[in-house]
Amino acid sequence: MNLPNLLTLLRLFLVPVIFYALARGFFAVALVIFFAAAITDALDGWIARRYHLQTRLGAVLDPVADKLLVVTTVITLTWLQRIPLWLTVAIISRDLLIVGGGLLYLLLIGKFSIHPTLLSKWNTALQFVVIVFVLLEAAYRWRMPLLPVFALVFVTAVASGGQYVWVWSRKAIAQDRASGQS
């Protein structure tokens, strides 16, 4: 166990706390907790890379913590009618596509390594931004037009999901060609 893994575990622990705060209507508290969780996400990766503390546990836990944090928060905010259902469906569908595609690739083709694309990183960052904006609006009646931000997250979620399908398909075709030539 090292500091990046502890930060990831802290983020996992904060998921039900954020849910509780949102369900009770404590939007300012949820905003602070979500922001702290987002900071742990940035910190754990930076510390792990900077000090060569990457572990298999961290490689598995970090994306799980990120997905649980975002999905739980987005679903809860949708339930509270703060985020539109179409955006939540796009975010969750992208995640299911990535996880399902990875499992399918593993079962049909074999071991693979996945590296987040730049578009995927942008989409994840935008998901965090949209959640912060929605929580600011809910907590402090902060007004900003959210529809353009929602649309941007939607477009990057769909494009990122499509990009993963494209990349994995090309890898599968290359693998099939390589095994056919052997």
Side-chain angles (χ1 to χ4, degrees), residues 112-148:
F112 70 100
S113 65
I114 183 169
H115 303 286
T117 65
L118 183 59
L119 181 57
S120 176
K121 289 179 181 184
W122 272 103
N123 176 255
T124 300
L126 288 169
Q127 288 176 17
F128 277 84
V129 167
V130 83
I131 290 168
V132 168
F133 283 0
V134 168
L135 290 174
L136 280 168
E137 182 180 68
Y140 301 108
R141 310 269 188 257
W142 186 64
R143 296 285 177 220
M144 87 164 272
L146 290 174
L147 186 58

Side-chain angles (χ1 to χ4, degrees), residues 30-45:
L31 175 63
V32 170
I33 296 167
F34 185 84
F35 197 72
I39 289 171
T40 68
D41 183 32
L43 270 178
D44 69 5

Side-chain angles (χ1 to χ4, degrees), residues 13-173:
F13 171 76
L14 291 176
V15 170
V17 178
I18 289 172
F19 171 77
Y20 178 79
L22 289 172
R24 299 288 300 190
F26 302 143
F27 296 111
V29 172
L31 175 63
V32 170
I33 296 167
F34 185 84
F35 197 72
I39 289 171
T40 68
D41 183 32
L43 270 178
D44 69 5
W46 180 80
I47 292 169
R49 285 186 302 278
R50 173 77 170 91
Y51 297 102
H52 307 289
L53 296 173
Q54 295 102 330
T55 64
R56 285 184 73 90
L57 177 64
V60 171
L61 278 185
D62 185 64
V64 169
D66 292 346
K67 296 305 167 204
L68 280 175
L69 176 66
V70 169
V71 168
T72 300
T73 305
V74 166
I75 288 173
T76 307
L77 287 170
T78 301
W79 173 59
L80 295 171
Q81 300 180 344
R82 301 254 176 209
I83 290 181
L85 180 61
W86 54 265
L87 180 58
T88 301
V89 169
I91 289 169
I92 293 171
S93 296
R94 173 189 170 268
D95 290 345
L96 290 173
L97 178 74
I98 291 169
V99 171
L103 290 173
L104 190 61
Y105 190 97
L106 182 64
L107 290 171
L108 296 177
I109 294 157
K111 189 176 175 184
F112 70 100
S113 65
I114 183 169
H115 303 286
T117 65
L118 183 59
L119 181 57
S120 176
K121 289 179 181 184
W122 272 103
N123 176 255
T124 300
L126 288 169
Q127 288 176 17
F128 277 84
V129 167
V130 83
I131 290 168
V132 168
F133 283 0
V134 168
L135 290 174
L136 280 168
E137 182 180 68
Y140 301 108
R141 310 269 188 257
W142 186 64
R143 296 285 177 220
M144 87 164 272
L146 290 174
L147 186 58
V149 183
F150 291 159
L152 185 58
V153 172
F154 178 85
V155 167
T156 59
V158 170
S160 172
Q163 186 179 38
Y164 276 106
V165 170
W166 173 259
V167 168
W168 285 346
S169 297
R170 292 188 46 99
K171 283 184 180 183
I173 290 167

